[in-house]
Amino acid sequence: MRQIGLLGSPGTKRTLYLQQALEQAGIQPLFMDWKDFAAIRETLLKRSEGKLLIKVDPPSWDSCRLHKLDDLAAEYRQRLGELAQTGRSGRITYLNPPDMIEMLLDKRSCKRTLVKAGLPVTEELPGLQDGDGEADAPKGQPGVLPAAFAGKNGQSHSMPASSCLADRLLERMRAVGIFQVFLKPVWGSGAAGVLALRWQPATGQMVLYTCSLLQGEHDLVNTKRLRCFHDPAIIRPLLEEILGLGCIVERWYAKMEYRGFSCDLRAVVQDGRVDFLVARLSKGPITNLHLNNHPLSAEELNLPAGVMDSVHTVCIDAMKPFPGLRSAGIDLLLEKGSLRPRIIEMNGQGDLMYQDIYQKNTIYRHQAEMMKRWLQEPDAERFGETGK
């Protein structure tokens, strides 16, 4: 006997709209609450009969304090590791394997995997000259974050301890001639802790876009409201705190524009195809839709057919380096002028799109179809291949 399970948080839109799609497909899922994880883990480990396919949704976090991000992420990674152990019996299958979810959560690991596969990405800030002792990846490979920017928990101490993290960042930007960058916590999501920085070294002028705000000396919070700062006295402490969390630093690429808006794309790729593609329009550099930015159907951009073909190809190819990954949200930009696509980041749980659930619910209906195939398919490992 086979059964469908959903591990998540009750009452969330993820849960409600997937359950709706499953019910329409004639499936009554077994719901498992993250709050009961210890008992759920033991039950899964001891399962002795019947097979279970589980969709894992992220737990709900109610903290806005970014200094808790590492601890929350570490706890979640541990739970994903424990879930991966339950799959070794052969009785538990996951829509997205827990180890793949974890790999995509790690922005640094994910980005390097994509680079190794030859996929176009928003590159990390290049290292200084070879031989500096700072690079923690093979020499000559562009876009690799040096260990010296691993933050307070990093292992590298190639610069003097008295040199603050913000100064070290600016020194690197000057050395490589790149004066606009994005900073992102390695384990962050939803624009939490993301900073977009422009700096003019000749004048010392800076501009910083972020949703983060310092309350007190070190209490860094995610306000979910985009702000712009020009005062170095405000910007430097923010840089210091974000770098202290451990982050990746990427080139800030000029994105295509649409009617005066900066524009990038969010794709949801499932079962070997692009199920959903939306443009995100913003007057600032951070385009996440929950920041009151504007969604637009990608078709309304009227992009050349060749560009759309490239976007679809890049999205589908991005799934291939991650074995067993059947669903992912992928953020891409199109470079201004050339319209060349570059992957910004991937999310193994990036399937919630309000523009979809309130209309056709395409994404979750497709997941329900995949799960229904698994219920009917003798070979459980092949249930996601028919759409390829």
Side-chain angles (χ1 to χ4, degrees), residues 206-221:
M206 294 180 174
V207 60
L208 181 76
Y209 298 87
T210 185
C211 299
S212 303
L213 193 65
L214 270 175
Q215 294 183 345
E217 188 174 355
H218 296 294
D219 192 8
L220 192 64
V221 298

Side-chain angles (χ1 to χ4, degrees), residues 5-7 14 18 34 52-58 76 79-81 83-84 86-87 92-105 268-272 319 322-330 346-352 363-364 367 370-371 374 381 383-384 388:
L6 172 58
L7 175 57
R14 294 175 182 274
L18 178 56
W34 274 110
L52 181 64
L53 169 65
I54 301 176
K55 161 74 183 301
V56 179
D57 279 337
Y76 187 38
R79 290 184 172 186
L80 288 171
L83 288 176
T86 69
I92 310 295
T93 302
Y94 290 93
L95 185 73
N96 274 348
D99 56 338
M100 290 297 104
I101 294 175
E102 181 181 2
M103 191 169 184
L104 268 63
L105 280 174
V268 177
V269 184
Q270 301 189 130
D271 202 8
M319 305 288 282
F322 306 100
L325 189 68
R326 299 181 177 95
S327 174
I330 304 178
M346 296 179 65
N347 185 341
Q349 296 172 312
D351 55 7
L352 176 62
I363 297 165
Y364 291 139
Q367 289 185 13
M370 295 166 68
M371 295 175 185
W374 180 85
E381 296 306 314
F383 78 96
K388 296 183 180 179

Side-chain angles (χ1 to χ4, degrees), residues 300-355:
E300 295 185 52
L301 296 176
N302 293 317
L303 293 169
V307 173
M308 290 298 288
D309 288 344
S310 295
V311 167
H312 281 247
T313 298
V314 166
C315 286
I316 292 168
D317 287 348
M319 305 288 282
K320 296 177 182 178
F322 306 100
L325 189 68
R326 299 181 177 95
S327 174
I330 304 178
D331 294 339
L332 310 96
L333 63 80
L334 299 175
E335 290 189 56
K336 188 175 182 178
S338 69
L339 298 184
R340 182 194 183 195
R342 287 183 179 270
I343 298 170
I344 300 170
E345 60 184 59
M346 296 179 65
N347 185 341
Q349 296 172 312
D351 55 7
L352 176 62
M353 299 298 302
Y354 291 159
Q355 296 72 34

Side-chain angles (χ1 to χ4, degrees), residues 273-290:
R273 75 187 191 203
V274 177
D275 264 348
F276 193 79
L277 185 64
V278 66
R280 307 183 300 184
L281 310 181
S282 174
K283 286 296 186 180
I286 301 176
T287 58
N288 298 68
L289 293 177
H290 71 280

Side-chain angles (χ1 to χ4, degrees), residues 31-231:
F31 181 75
M32 296 170 280
D33 192 334
W34 274 110
K35 292 180 180 179
D36 303 321
F37 179 75
I40 291 168
R41 174 183 175 275
E42 290 304 311
T43 299
L44 295 178
L45 286 172
K46 295 176 180 178
R47 191 177 180 94
S48 60
E49 59 183 31
K51 292 191 175 183
L52 181 64
L53 169 65
I54 301 176
K55 161 74 183 301
V56 179
D57 279 337
S60 296
W61 291 342
D62 56 8
S63 175
C64 66
R65 284 174 165 74
L66 293 173
H67 289 100
K68 293 185 177 181
L69 188 62
D70 280 350
D71 290 339
L72 291 170
E75 179 183 8
Y76 187 38
R77 290 160 55 198
Q78 179 178 345
R79 290 184 172 186
L80 288 171
E82 292 171 356
L83 288 176
Q85 293 177 357
T86 69
R88 294 172 185 168
S89 68
R91 296 194 176 276
I92 310 295
T93 302
Y94 290 93
L95 185 73
N96 274 348
D99 56 338
M100 290 297 104
I101 294 175
E102 181 181 2
M103 191 169 184
L104 268 63
L105 280 174
D106 183 342
K107 289 183 174 64
R108 181 180 290 123
S109 175
C110 179
K111 185 63 65 75
R112 292 180 182 177
T113 299
L114 293 170
V115 169
K116 186 176 180 180
L119 288 158
V121 301
T122 51
E123 295 179 348
E124 295 181 53
L125 198 68
L128 296 176
Q129 298 298 319
D130 292 339
D132 285 351
E134 291 192 270
D136 60 351
K139 292 183 179 181
Q141 180 177 328
V144 174
L145 181 72
F149 287 101
K152 296 173 184 176
N153 297 322
Q155 299 301 314
S156 175
H157 300 283
S158 55
M159 286 194 173
S162 60
S163 178
C164 74
L165 294 172
D167 284 342
R168 289 161 62 180
L169 171 64
L170 298 178
E171 288 170 16
R172 178 169 296 280
M173 291 171 64
R174 186 196 300 274
V176 299
I178 295 174
F179 304 115
Q180 54 182 36
V181 295
F182 269 84
L183 291 80
K184 304 175 183 178
V186 172
W187 300 104
S189 63
V194 173
L195 279 63
L197 170 69
R198 283 197 180 106
W199 173 50
Q200 296 181 2
T203 63
Q205 290 182 321
M206 294 180 174
V207 60
L208 181 76
Y209 298 87
T210 185
C211 299
S212 303
L213 193 65
L214 270 175
Q215 294 183 345
E217 188 174 355
H218 296 294
D219 192 8
L220 192 64
V221 298
N222 177 27
T223 66
K224 297 186 180 180
R225 173 188 164 195
L226 188 60
R227 291 173 166 84
C228 179
F229 299 103
H230 294 84
D231 185 352

